[in-house]
């Protein structure tokens, strides 16, 4: 496809939105057209799904949660991301399939292969050209969220977030060509520089 698809992954508080904003600025300054998206909630329908997934009170069955993320993904990819890539744009997205494999697979202990297949069905097989994983010890991530009201996933216990972190690292180890893993505790500028170095050859 003519454009590029770059995703950012990592635990809550790892700095994904800061880095996607900096990367977007840098690419736009170099004359590229950038479409920013995020999951859940990259589209108007997705925003409604995001509200249900993260803020609806009470128990939600893990498979229902997985399907809601997949529904958000299907709509985001079909109506926003794929058209932008087909127009030759660079799509930068906070969270994608790897979030589902890490959170619903490793975190909720659903079958990782089934979760990945569900996501690939939802997205009609779209994989990122590059995935940046901002790796962070969840005890540090929680500190960064201090004062913020926790959503349903953030409210999960520490061992859930430890499993998510391990899940992410296993994904990155299995696909070293697609992943760039950076310690989220490095400075904002140092992380941004490493990301630019890795993105440059894709342009
Ligand atoms: P955000 O606050 O970073 O936008 O993400 C919302 C939460 O949703 C975050 O705790 C991670 C979680 N999540 C999943 O559990 N599965 C997914 O597929 C995605 C995209 C996010």
């Amino acid at each position: 496809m003519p454009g590029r698809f770059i995703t950012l992954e990592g635990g809550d508080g790892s700095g994904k939105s800061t880095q996607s904003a900096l990367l977007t600025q840098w690419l736009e300054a170099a004359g590229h057209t950038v479409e920013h998206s995020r999951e859940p909630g990259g589209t108007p329908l997705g925003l409604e799904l995001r509200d249900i997934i993260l803020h609806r009170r009470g128990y939600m069955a893990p498979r229902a949660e997985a399907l809601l993320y997949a529904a958000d993904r299907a709509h985001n990819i079909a109506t926003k991301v794929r058209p932008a890539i087909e127009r030759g744009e660079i799509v930068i997205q906070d969270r994608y399939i790897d979030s589902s494999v890490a959170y619903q697979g490793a975190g909720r202990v659903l079958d990782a292969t089934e979760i990945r297949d569900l996501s690939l069905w939802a997205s009609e097989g779209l994989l990122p050209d590059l995935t940046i994983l901002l790796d962070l010890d969840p005890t540090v991530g929680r500190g960064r969220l201090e004062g913020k009201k926790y959503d349903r996933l953030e409210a999960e216990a520490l061992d859930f977030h430890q499993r998510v972190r391990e899940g992410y690292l296993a994904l990155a180890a299995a696909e070293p060509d697609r992943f760039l893993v950076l310690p989220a505790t490095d400075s904002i500028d140092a992380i941004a520089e490493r990301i630019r170095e890795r993105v440059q050859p894709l342009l």
Side-chain angles (χ1 to χ4, degrees):
M1 287 210 284
R4 291 286 176 267
F5 184 31
I6 299 170
T7 58
L8 287 103
E9 296 283 356
D12 303 299
S14 59
K16 294 179 296 299
S17 36
T18 302
Q19 292 300 333
S20 57
L22 288 172
L23 181 58
T24 299
Q25 269 173 26
W26 178 71
L27 288 167
E28 285 179 345
H32 298 281
T33 304
V34 179
E35 175 82 83
H36 183 264
S37 193
R38 69 168 176 173
E39 292 182 5
T43 61
L45 172 64
L47 280 173
E48 292 188 47
L49 291 169
R50 180 182 173 92
D51 196 41
I52 293 170
I53 298 169
L54 297 181
H55 303 299
R56 195 165 191 288
R57 283 174 199 281
Y59 177 72
M60 182 182 288
R63 283 164 194 259
E65 182 184 274
L67 286 163
L68 286 169
Y69 279 114
D72 167 71
R73 180 157 303 137
H75 191 70
N76 180 50
I77 296 302
T79 65
K80 183 174 177 180
V81 172
R82 199 180 280 278
I85 300 173
E86 280 167 356
R87 289 193 301 269
E89 297 174 12
I90 301 174
V91 178
I92 298 179
Q93 178 162 300
D94 292 10
R95 299 194 180 280
Y96 188 47
I97 287 181
D98 303 297
S99 277
S100 283
V101 179
Y103 283 78
Q104 280 65 55
R108 298 278 187 231
V109 202
L110 293 172
D111 184 277
T113 306
E114 288 178 358
I115 293 294
R116 183 183 156 91
D117 288 349
L118 174 67
S119 278
L120 287 172
W121 180 78
S123 70
E124 296 182 82
L126 183 68
L127 279 173
D129 298 290
L130 170 65
T131 298
I132 298 147
L133 171 59
L134 299 175
D135 176 49
L136 185 63
D137 178 341
T139 51
V140 179
R142 304 207 125 200
R144 290 184 179 185
L145 296 176
E146 202 77 2
K148 196 185 150 223
K149 206 165 158 283
Y150 283 167
D151 64 39
R152 219 164 43 79
L153 278 285
E154 287 162 351
E156 282 295 329
L158 197 56
D159 65 323
F160 174 92
H161 292 283
Q162 299 283 14
R163 287 198 300 280
V164 170
R165 183 191 193 189
E166 295 307 318
Y168 268 138
L169 290 172
L171 282 167
E175 283 184 80
D177 292 344
R178 173 162 72 87
F179 274 89
L180 170 65
V181 185
L182 297 172
T185 43
D186 283 0
S187 75
I188 290 175
D189 287 348
I191 295 172
E193 177 60 30
R194 295 277 309 274
I195 293 175
R196 290 195 291 264
E197 279 168 19
R198 181 70 181 253
V199 169
Q200 185 72 63
L202 293 176
L203 304 177

